[in-house]
Amino acid sequence: MSTNLAAHIATAALPAAHSFVSGTLRHGGGREFTTGHPGDGSPLAVVQEATPELVDLAVREAAAAQPAWAATSPHQRARVLRAAADLVEAQSVRLAHLVTLDNGKTLAEAHGEVAVAAAHLRAAAGWAATLEGSTLPMDGGTLRMVFREPVGVVAAIIPFNTTLVFAAQKAGPALAAGNAVLLKAPELSPLAAPVFAGLLTEAGLPAGLLQVLQGTGDTGRRLAGHPAVTMVSFTGSTAVGRQVMRSAADGMKRVLLELGGKSANIVYADADLDAALHATVGGIFRNAGQRCFSGSRLLVEEPIAEEFTARVVELARSIRVGPPFDPGSQLGTLISAAEAERVHVMVEEAVGQGAKVLTGGDRPPGLHPDGAFYAPTVLEIPGSPPDIVYQEVFGPVLTVQRFGGAEQAVALANDSPFGLVGGCWTRDLDRALTTARQVRSGYFWINSYGALALDAPIGGVGLSGVGRELGRVGHEAYTETKSVIIDTASAAAPRWF
């Protein structure tokens, strides 16, 4: 660990986090890999990948523990989840520092992630006792009922960009419904998930119901293909999502996939440009652009295109990129130096295909040479779009295209294989609603961008995924329905043979 980083942790009143990241996570028995802090490349911990034997053992333990948990009162499951939310909030300082060490986002963003994770647990607790079956109208002497039952053992495979949020977003609803969860920690940010699981155990969750497995994509594929796993909930890239889907196919498992995005943020000429400006910049550059729902494509109506683009560029240039623990930093790092280099290659290829760099396009000067920093980048797109318009960059890169009217705006927005989210800015309510209905996406903002509502389902169409999370639909996704028919007048029932 670097001297500067160790000194920071030592003075941050976080001895628990310090001791955790200074050691070795020897729980997998397999290949060892070292995880480091993206701010300076310094090593944090040595992690052991779960062997196939450990994956099998974890699944067996989860399957054995799940029936008793399913039989537990929903109110008791809710109490455990609320207690876990209390612990997450009580440990917010430690967790936020751990997230920043693990991920490289700014400390302010990490505190926000912790708060959202606690909110997800509370939301799941609220649904535990309110997910309802139904009774159908009597049909003669027949009573018809529909029950909701847990699916069984859920493999939850989470991404590196907001580990705590996705751990809570998947484990919370799954546990609320009476399932067991095997949480596959992201290889590039493996440290927060075990701490999260430990807090659930401290809150009273019985052993075996939430287990964390470390490793590469191979570990995730083993989980997805395991015969005793009944559902796979995955958030990550479309390419890996395809692999997960193939692994789950043989067992005909239920899959919930939130995949990539290349989302359009449409600014009409009559919009409140001040509000649109700050939401546009925040919508792409928060978390260094590493969000599946980033507004990575800015579409601007011709009459305001030059003025608004210039203001976006000016604001992007003013963003303070710096060490994640520096209170003055507004944008931290990408997850790794390799990811920063990948983003840079994509930008250079776009320039080679005609895109114009309006700001950024390289590493910002004066920062740690081993840090995974990349400057906020704005690319002006010519009439013939380069590949980057259609590819998920997953970095702080915004493309700007002009349009001549609502019809062209919708056509440009839909000119993408992805369909996760979208947004538009206008004072014309009719045009706003028409645009929202016509843009092909699973989520859409009008006169805002990026704030997710925990009671509204989110998910994508096309290459952006299958199924929905959050809200009633998202919590019901972790249940099966069972129809039960009672013949209340069997003596009078007709004979069929």
Side-chain angles (χ1 to χ4, degrees):
M1 185 177 294
S2 70
T3 302
N4 290 341
L5 184 59
H8 174 83
I9 301 172
T11 59
L14 297 170
H18 186 200
S19 63
F20 178 77
V21 301
S22 297
T24 301
L25 299 179
R26 296 189 178 278
H27 305 297
R31 179 186 67 90
E32 291 187 348
F33 58 94
T34 300
T35 185
H37 175 52
D40 61 6
S42 58
L44 294 173
V46 177
V47 184
Q48 284 193 332
E49 183 171 19
T51 62
E53 292 77 15
L54 184 65
V55 171
D56 189 58
L57 175 62
V59 175
R60 290 202 310 269
E61 290 178 347
Q66 186 269 330
W69 178 245
T72 300
S73 160
H75 296 284
Q76 174 58 24
R77 298 200 295 266
R79 281 194 289 271
V80 171
L81 291 169
R82 283 194 293 269
D86 290 342
L87 289 172
V88 168
E89 290 172 342
Q91 294 284 340
S92 62
V93 174
R94 174 195 179 199
L95 287 170
H97 280 72
L98 186 57
V99 165
T100 295
L101 283 173
D102 208 13
N103 177 276
K105 64 181 60 180
T106 65
L107 193 55
E109 289 177 314
H111 275 287
E113 178 174 337
V114 174
V116 173
H120 276 304
L121 291 174
R122 293 197 190 284
W127 285 108
T130 55
L131 286 178
E132 300 171 340
S134 60
T135 58
L136 303 176
M138 289 283 288
D139 183 12
T142 301
L143 175 63
R144 295 170 291 174
M145 300 180 292
V146 180
F147 295 107
R148 287 202 170 272
E149 299 180 342
V151 296
V153 177
V154 177
I157 305 171
I158 60 176
F160 64 75
N161 56 330
T162 49
T163 304
L164 279 180
V165 166
F166 281 109
Q169 182 172 312
K170 294 182 185 298
L175 292 169
N179 300 291
V181 180
L182 297 165
L183 193 62
K184 162 60 177 64
E187 179 184 4
L188 295 177
S189 57
L191 302 182
V195 176
F196 172 81
L199 293 177
L200 265 293
T201 299
E202 188 178 341
L205 186 70
L209 288 170
L210 178 60
Q211 301 180 58
V212 177
L213 295 169
Q214 302 283 2
T216 62
D218 289 340
T219 304
R221 284 187 288 274
R222 288 190 193 103
L223 273 175
H226 197 285
V229 168
T230 49
M231 176 178 175
V232 184
S233 180
F234 169 81
T235 297
S237 72
T238 298
V240 178
R242 287 192 182 101
Q243 296 174 13
V244 168
M245 205 169 191
R246 291 189 191 103
S247 298
D250 285 345
M252 298 296 290
K253 304 177 193 301
R254 175 176 297 197
V255 293
L256 198 165
L257 307 175
E258 190 205 314
L259 307 179
K262 190 68 178 180
S263 301
N265 187 23
I266 302 166
V267 181
Y268 288 108
D270 68 335
D272 179 340
L273 298 187
D274 290 335
L277 172 66
H278 289 275
T280 295
V281 171
I284 177 59
F285 297 128
R286 277 197 192 94
N287 202 20
Q290 298 172 123
R291 300 190 302 173
C292 52
F293 57 87
S294 288
S296 53
R297 290 189 294 150
L298 173 61
L299 309 181
V300 195
E301 197 166 13
E302 284 283 3
I304 61 163
E306 186 171 346
E307 172 200 351
F308 190 74
T309 301
R311 293 182 66 185
V312 168
V313 169
E314 181 182 11
L315 187 56
R317 284 176 178 159
S318 73
I319 294 173
R320 295 189 298 275
V321 183
F325 284 105
D326 187 336
S329 296
Q330 295 173 305
L331 191 151
T333 73
L334 278 78
I335 190 64
S336 69
E339 282 294 292
E341 178 60 24
R342 180 191 59 79
V343 169
H344 184 56
V345 168
M346 293 184 73
V347 170
E348 288 189 318
E349 288 176 348
V351 171
Q353 295 172 1
K356 179 182 178 182
V357 177
L358 301 181
T359 188
D362 208 341
R363 290 175 53 89
L367 295 171
H368 197 288
D370 296 323
F373 299 97
Y374 201 79
T377 298
V378 180
L379 299 178
E380 188 175 57
I381 300 303
S384 179
D387 294 341
I388 201 168
V389 171
Y390 304 102
Q391 299 167 334
E392 184 178 39
V393 177
F394 219 63
V397 179
L398 177 67
T399 64
V400 183
Q401 294 171 274
R402 301 185 179 195
F403 65 87
E407 185 176 341
Q408 187 183 11
V410 170
L412 287 172
N414 288 337
D415 185 23
S416 171
F418 298 100
L420 186 57
V421 304
C424 76
W425 298 81
T426 177
R427 290 183 169 90
D428 185 330
L429 181 58
D430 181 65
R431 177 166 55 184
L433 292 174
T434 300
T435 301
R437 294 296 299 270
Q438 292 179 345
V439 170
R440 186 169 170 265
S441 68
Y443 207 95
F444 198 88
W445 289 280
I446 294 175
N447 294 333
S448 70
Y449 195 97
L452 297 177
L454 298 191
D455 54 356
I458 184 171
V461 298
L463 296 189
S464 289
V466 176
R468 297 292 183 267
E469 295 191 81
L470 306 184
R472 176 178 292 278
V473 172
H475 285 75
E476 288 178 344
Y478 291 92
T479 67
E480 296 281 10
T481 59
K482 177 186 287 183
S483 296
V484 176
I485 312 299
I486 302 176
D487 187 345
T488 61
S490 57
R495 295 182 180 272
W496 295 101
F497 57 87

